[in-house]
C-alpha cells in the first residue's frame, strides 16, 4: 500500500482551500487598481470599499471571481470581502450560478417627497416600458434631491422632475455620467478672502483657544442632528493623546434632507477651509471626507477642489482623503461611518468609548457634519454676534432647512433657529401648494 492510498488527504496538502483563482483575474485587478506588490498601501483594509467601487463601475456588478481575486490582492479572508460587499446597497454581488444584472440600472427614489410626486406611478410605467433584459428598474432610498421630486438615477446620472419620457431619453442616449456642477473655484474663493482664516491659524495669528471661544459665543452646534456644541467636541478630542484624525460625515441619508449637498455644490472651498481649520485645531494626522455615493457629481467636484489645494501648496498631497459611501443609510451615524472608512460593514459601535477617544484606526477622531464646518470661516469673518444674533422663540443662531413636498418654494432655506413650522412654510416656502393645506410633516436630518 502506497503512502497516498494509506492517507488520501496528503495528496491535497499545499493546495489552497476552496476554488482556485485564475491568474488572469488577479492580473486584471492589478491593471484596474495598481500593483500592490509595488505599492503596499493598496492592500490596506481601509481601501477595500474603494476597490469594490472600481470593480463595480467597470463591470456593473461584482462577480465571485473578482471578489476572490480581491481577497488575494489585499490578503484578506474571502469572508471579510464578501461580508463587506454584500452589506452595501450599491454593490451587486453575482454568484457563480447567477446571471449578471442588465447593463443599465434605473433607480427610482421612493422617499416621501418623491412618493408624493408620483414615484410609484413612474416606476410602474418604466417597468412596463423597458426591456428587462437590457434595463432593470429598482426602488432606491432618498437621493438627496427632494426639491426636484420625483427623481430617478440612470447609471450615475440623476433625472430631476423625472417622467417616463425623460428617463427613457437618458437610457436611449447612453448618458449615464454624473450631471455637471458649476462651482466656485479656488481662485475666486481666495479673491473673496477665502483661506485667510486657515493661513492665520497656521501662522499663529489666530490661536485655537481664541477660535474655540468665538465658536462658543456663536453657539455653533453640530448640524448633522445631534446638536453638540462644536467647541466642546474640539476640546474633548484635543484632550486625548495623539495621533488624532478628523473625519467629515457627508452621508446625509435622512429622507428629505439635502442641505449638505447644496452647500457643497455652491461653495466647496468654504467647506474645505472649515474642515481644514477643524483638522488643524485637533492637530489631525489626516482629514477624511466620507461622501455618500448618491452624490457622484460632488465626488468629481471635491476631487478637483482638493487637487487645486494640493497644486497651490495649501495642503500636502494625500492629507485630505476622499472616500465614497456605498448606499448605507446607517453610515450617517458617526461610528458606523468610522467602520465604513476602515473598509468594513457600516455597523455602529458600542459606546463608550466614544469616537473622540477611540475612533478611526483606533485613534481619537473629531467627527463633524458638512454644514457645521461650512460656517466656521463665515463666523470668524463676521463675528460670533452676527451668527448668534439670529433666532426666534428663545433660540439663537441660523439653521438650514431642507423644505420639500407640497410647498410652493421647495429648497434649502436659511432661517433663524427656533422658527416654527408654520413660519417656515409661510415665510420661506411661499405657503402650501395650491389646493393643499398643512396636515402633517416628517422632520428629519
Amino acid at each position: 500500500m502506497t503512502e497516498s492510498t494509506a492517507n488520501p488527504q496528503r495528496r491535497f496538502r499545499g493546495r489552497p482551500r476552496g476554488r482556485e483563482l485564475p491568474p488572469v483575474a488577479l492580473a486584471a485587478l492589478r491593471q484596474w487598481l495598481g500593483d500592490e506588490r509595488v505599492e503596499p498601501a493598496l492592500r490596506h483594509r481601509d481601501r477595500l470599499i474603494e476597490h469594490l467601487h472600481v470593480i463595480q463601475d467597470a463591470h456593473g456588478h461584482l462577480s465571485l471571481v473578482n471578489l476572490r481575486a480581491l481577497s488575494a490582492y489585499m490578503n484578506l479572508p474571502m469572508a471579510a470581502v464578501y461580508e463587506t460587499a454584500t452589506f452595501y446597497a450599491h454593490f451587486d454581488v453575482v454568484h457563480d450560478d447567477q446571471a449578471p444584472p442588465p447593463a443599465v440600472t434605473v433607480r427610482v427614489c421612493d422617499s416621501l417627497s418623491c412618493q408624493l410626486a408620483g414615484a410609484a406611478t413612474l416606476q410602474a410605467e418604466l417597468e412596463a416600458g423597458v426591456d428587462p433584459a437590457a434595463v432593470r428598474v429598482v426602488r432606491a432610498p432618498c437621493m438627496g434631491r427632494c426639491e426636484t421630486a420625483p427623481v430617478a438615477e440612470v447609471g450615475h446620472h440623476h433625472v430631476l422632475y423625472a417622467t417616463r419620457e425623460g428617463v427613457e431619453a437618458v437610457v436611449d442616449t447612453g448618458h449615464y455620467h454624473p450631471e455637471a456642477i458649476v462651482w466656485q473655484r479656488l481662485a475666486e474663493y481666495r479673491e473673496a478672502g477665502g483661506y485667510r482664516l486657515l493661513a492665520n491659524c497656521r501662522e499663529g495669528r489666530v490661536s485655537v483657544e481664541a477660535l474655540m471661544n468665538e465658536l462658543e459665543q456663536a453657539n455653533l452646534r453640530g448640524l448633522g442632528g445631534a446638536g453638540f456644541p462644536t467647541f466642546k467636541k474640539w476640546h474633548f478630542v484635543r484632550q486625548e493623546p495623539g495621533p488624532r484624525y478628523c473625519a467629515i460625515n457627508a452621508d446625509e441619508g435622512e429622507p428629505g434632507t439635502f442641505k449638505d449637498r447644496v452647500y457643497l455644490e455652491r461653495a466647496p472651498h468654504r467647506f474645505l477651509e472649515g474642515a481644514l481649520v477643524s483638522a488643524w485645531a485637533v492637530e489631525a494626522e489626516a482629514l477624511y471626507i466620507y461622501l455618500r455615493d448618491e452624490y457622484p457629481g460632488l465626488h468629481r467636484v471635491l476631487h478637483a477642489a482638493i487637487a487645486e489645494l494640493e497644486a497651490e501648496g495649501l495642503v500636502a498631497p494625500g492629507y485630505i482623503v476622499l472616500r465614497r459611501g456605498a448606499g448605507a443609510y446607517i453610515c450617517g451615524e458617526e461610528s458606523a461611518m468610522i467602520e465604513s472608512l476602515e473598509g468594513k460593514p457600516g455597523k455602529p459601535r458600542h459606546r463608550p468609548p466614544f469616537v473622540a477617544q477611540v475612533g478611526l484606526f483606533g485613534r481619537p477622531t473629531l467627527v463633524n457634519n458638512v454644514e457645521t464646518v461650512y460656517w466656521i470661516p463665515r463666523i470668524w469673518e463676521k463675528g460670533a454676534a452676527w451668527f448668534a444674533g439670529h433666532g426666534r422663540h428663545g433660540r439663537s443662531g441660523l439653521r438650514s432647512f431642507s423644505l420639500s413636498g407640497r410647498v410652493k418654494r421647495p429648497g434649502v432655506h436659511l432661517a433663524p433657529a427656533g422658527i416654527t413650522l408654520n413660519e417656515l412654510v409661510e415665510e420661506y416656502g411661499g405657503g402650501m401648494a395650491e389646493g393643499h393645506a398643512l396636515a402633517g410633516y416628517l422632520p428629519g436630518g
Side-chain angles (χ1 to χ4, degrees), residues 86 97 133 186 189 206 220 277-278 280 299 312 320 330 378 385 413 418 428:
T86 53
D97 59 348
L186 175 60
Y189 181 64
V206 174
L220 180 66
V277 167
S278 302
W280 163 83
H299 188 274
E312 291 295 317
I320 302 177
I330 191 61
R378 195 70 180 273
H413 298 286
Y428 292 85

Side-chain angles (χ1 to χ4, degrees), residues 50-64:
E50 293 295 303
H51 292 339
L52 290 170
H53 274 304
V54 172
I55 301 170
Q56 173 79 30
D57 289 345
H59 293 280
H61 66 280
L62 301 173
S63 69
L64 287 191

Side-chain angles (χ1 to χ4, degrees), residues 1 52 63 67 75 108 111 146 174 181 203 210 218 250 297 306 320 389 417 429:
M1 182 165 51
L52 290 170
S63 69
L67 292 185
N75 194 28
V108 180
S111 189
C146 316
I181 297 173
E203 295 166 14
I306 293 167
I320 302 177

Side-chain angles (χ1 to χ4, degrees), residues 208-233:
V208 176
E209 292 74 18
L211 186 53
M212 289 174 63
N213 180 67
E214 196 76 9
L215 298 182
E216 180 181 8
Q217 297 303 314
N219 194 29
L220 180 66
R221 294 174 174 269
L223 298 172
F228 194 80
T230 302
F231 82 96
K232 282 188 179 181
K233 187 177 285 189

